[in-house]
Amino acid sequence: MDKTYHIEGGNFSEAGFASSDVKKLLKKLGLPTNIIKKAAIAMYEAEINVVAHAYRGDMEFKIIPGQILVTVQDEGPGIPDLELAFTEGFSTASSKVREMGFGAGMGLPNIKRNTDDISVETEVGKGTRLSFVINI
Amino acid sequence: MKKTNIKLEKLQKILDAEVLTSQFPEKLEICYFCCTELMSDVLAFTHEGDSTVLITALSNSQTLRTAEMVDIKVVIIVRGKTIDKQLIELAEENGITLLRTEDAMFEVAGKLCSHIKEEEEKEKTKNG
Ligand SMILES: Nc1ncnc2c1ncn2[C@@H]1O[C@H](COP(=O)(O)OP(=O)(O)OP(=O)(O)O)[C@@H](O)[C@H]1O
Ligand SMILES: [Mg+2]
């Protein structure tokens, strides 16, 4: 099964729609609740990162026997220092993002915690591609 | 995050909270309280969403999206803020019960802590 969602940078009122939709789908498929929750948290953090830090992006969701695969690709500023970005507490979030309840520098570490494999490709000035796998 | 055991109807009475959604599972057992405006923290530290109440001053759609992702079923908005109809609809769509109280976060936490202490004292005298 395959699904793609568009994510609009800066649009906090719509943010989370994609993750919510996939979460409902996973429930319908009858996956274990702990797996659904891990996937939902990781997808939502990635979706919010596009809304908070990039201009626009796409989230691609795929489910194959034994695995959930998610790729979130965006056009945006990219991440100059990945190791720093994955440090708990590091954030460059704007005050607008903070007002929305985000920007604690917890998102990327939280994605890592909730997934079984993660990879990031990023180019400054171009964008970021984050992929992760959750074993079912 | 404080561990306790209290029914939703009791919680609503203690806080004199207004129920905004059509659903109100009064017998729902609450075990944990999460008081914060930081959705990042809710996402990182909620372990038992089903029995956790999120208490927050943040009343936007991301409050409900965050609750939804971690399976939190009850959200209490403090300081009696006006809440958009859209927000109530989003809560109902996702089976989340939304409440509002006039109290500020500090008072809410205070009331809940005193209640928990009282219950613990009662338990002690009963067993002691
Ligand atoms: N898609 C992205 N494009 C550009 N920069 C990003 C992207 N995702 C993350 N970053 C950078 O990495 C930092 C850390 O990201 P992380 O998700 O851990 O924290 P945050 O988004 O700042 O806050 P939180 O996730 O706790 O709300 C961000 O502040 C930002 O500088
Ligand atoms: Mg983030």
Side-chain angles (χ1 to χ4, degrees):
Chain A
M1 190 181 297
D2 234 306
K3 271 193 131 174
T4 305
Y5 300 85
H6 182 69
I7 306 164
E8 203 183 317
N11 187 346
F12 272 98
S13 58
E14 289 299 316
F17 175 83
S19 311
S20 170
D21 201 57
V22 173
K23 188 178 185 201
K24 285 173 184 136
L25 182 74
L26 295 176
K27 250 191 211 162
K28 253 193 228 147
L29 293 174
L31 265 72
T33 45
N34 65 321
I35 300 285
I36 297 178
K37 190 169 160 187
K38 282 205 263 182
I41 291 173
M43 283 186 297
Y44 183 59
E45 292 277 20
E47 200 181 341
I48 291 289
N49 274 356
V50 174
V51 176
H53 308 296
Y55 315 134
R56 64 190 68 82
D58 285 304
M59 185 170 104
E60 203 184 299
F61 158 84
K62 204 182 263 177
I63 183 160
I64 59 169
Q67 283 186 324
I68 294 171
L69 312 170
V70 177
T71 298
V72 179
Q73 179 150 20
D74 70 55
E75 284 170 44
I79 304 173
D81 185 339
L82 271 178
E83 201 186 317
L84 193 59
F86 271 89
T87 310
E88 276 192 17
F90 175 82
S91 176
T92 61
S94 64
S95 54
K96 184 189 162 204
V97 170
R98 287 173 204 273
E99 271 167 31
M100 300 308 290
F102 296 96
M106 298 296 289
L108 290 174
N110 203 20
I111 295 174
K112 202 167 181 184
R113 252 197 310 274
N114 282 287
T115 56
D116 295 296
D117 192 25
I118 175 171
S119 72
V120 189
E121 292 157 46
T122 184
E123 196 178 330
V124 173
K126 280 232 163 117
T128 303
R129 182 191 163 95
L130 168 82
S131 303
F132 58 80
V133 177
I134 293 168
N135 296 331
I136 302 172
Chain B
M1 203 82 86
K2 175 109 179 118
K3 175 115 167 81
T4 180
N5 203 304
I6 177 171
K7 291 219 164 47
L8 183 57
E9 56 185 350
K10 180 85 190 174
L11 183 67
Q12 184 238 340
K13 284 215 184 78
I14 294 170
L15 301 179
D16 192 20
E18 181 188 353
V19 183
L20 300 171
T21 42
S22 51
Q23 78 265 22
F24 181 62
E26 46 193 27
K27 303 294 176 210
L28 186 76
E29 295 255 353
I30 308 299
C31 299
Y32 302 94
F33 298 107
C34 180
C35 297
T36 187
E37 270 70 75
L38 216 54
M39 295 305 115
S40 317
D41 273 4
V42 179
L43 290 165
F45 299 116
T46 306
H47 301 296
E48 306 289 336
D50 281 324
S51 54
T52 299
V53 166
L54 172 60
I55 302 170
T56 184
L58 198 74
S59 57
N60 62 41
S61 57
Q62 295 321 310
T63 309
L64 290 172
R65 286 291 184 215
T66 300
E68 182 193 350
M69 295 309 147
V70 297
D71 299 323
I72 286 179
K73 299 286 181 244
V74 183
V75 175
I76 303 178
I77 309 286
V78 299
R79 274 190 201 284
K81 292 203 176 152
T82 23
I83 289 159
D84 280 3
K85 230 181 99 201
Q86 264 173 313
L87 207 71
I88 299 171
E89 280 165 11
L90 190 60
E92 286 176 344
E93 257 169 50
N94 291 295
I96 294 170
T97 301
L98 194 59
L99 292 97
R100 166 174 61 191
T101 172
E102 292 297 322
D103 292 344
M105 181 80 91
F106 182 73
E107 292 161 294
V108 169
K111 281 180 185 177
L112 291 174
C113 281
S114 328
H115 174 79
I116 293 167
K117 267 221 181 96
E118 273 169 35
E119 292 295 307
E120 280 171 0
E121 290 299 321
K122 267 191 221 161
E123 221 21 56
K124 253 189 228 155
T125 40
K126 214 167 67 187
N127 298 335

